[in-house]
Each structure stands twice: as structure tokens, then as C-alpha cells.
Amino acid sequence: SEGAFIKGEVDVPNLVLHGDINGDVRASHSLKVGAKGVLNGDVEYAIITLVEGSAINGRCARIDDVDGKARKPEKEIEVIEVQ
């Protein structure tokens, strides 16, 4: 619910977030982040839905359907901000 706050890791099959989480999240099936949802931590997910206004401050990795593990990039990606 809006205004809810969790500090710590979350490992669930499905998550619908309208509050705040400070910690890493693993949603083995689906993650839905509502307009006021804020997630401060890394995320592993199979299916993700982000509503306009939602925020994820961390790394996101899709869970591979075959072995259930998150995919890791083969090399680091440099992010360049454009003004």
C-alpha cells in the first residue's frame, strides 16, 4: 500500500509495489511498480511492469527461464548522460 516501507531483502514470486523498499528484490515471476513505488536496491525479475512515476534506483537483471538465475552482462556498460 502507499506509505508502506520495507528495509531489507525481499524474495517473492510476485510483487506489486506502491510504497518504498530499501533493499534488494527478487521477484521470480512478476514485479509491478506503481506510480508512487520506489525501490532502492538491485532487482531480479522474470516480468517487470513500471508505471509512469515509479522509480528503481539500482541494477536490474532479468531471470533466465531455463535455470532461474539472473542474467549477468558479459562486460561493464558505460552510461553517459546527455544534456
Side-chain angles (χ1 to χ4, degrees), residues 64-75:
D64 191 342
D65 293 335
V66 176
D67 60 12
K69 294 182 181 176
R71 299 178 187 183
K72 302 292 181 188
E74 293 181 19
K75 62 181 182 176

Side-chain angles (χ1 to χ4, degrees), residues 6 15-16 20-21 27 30-31 33 39 41 47 53 57 59 61-62 65-66 68 70-71 73-74 79-80:
I6 295 173
L15 176 63
V16 178
D20 293 3
I21 296 178
S30 70
L31 170 62
V33 184
L39 200 159
I47 300 168
N57 301 305
R59 294 178 185 233
R62 186 172 179 272
D65 293 335
V66 176
R71 299 178 187 183
E74 293 181 19
V79 177
I80 301 171

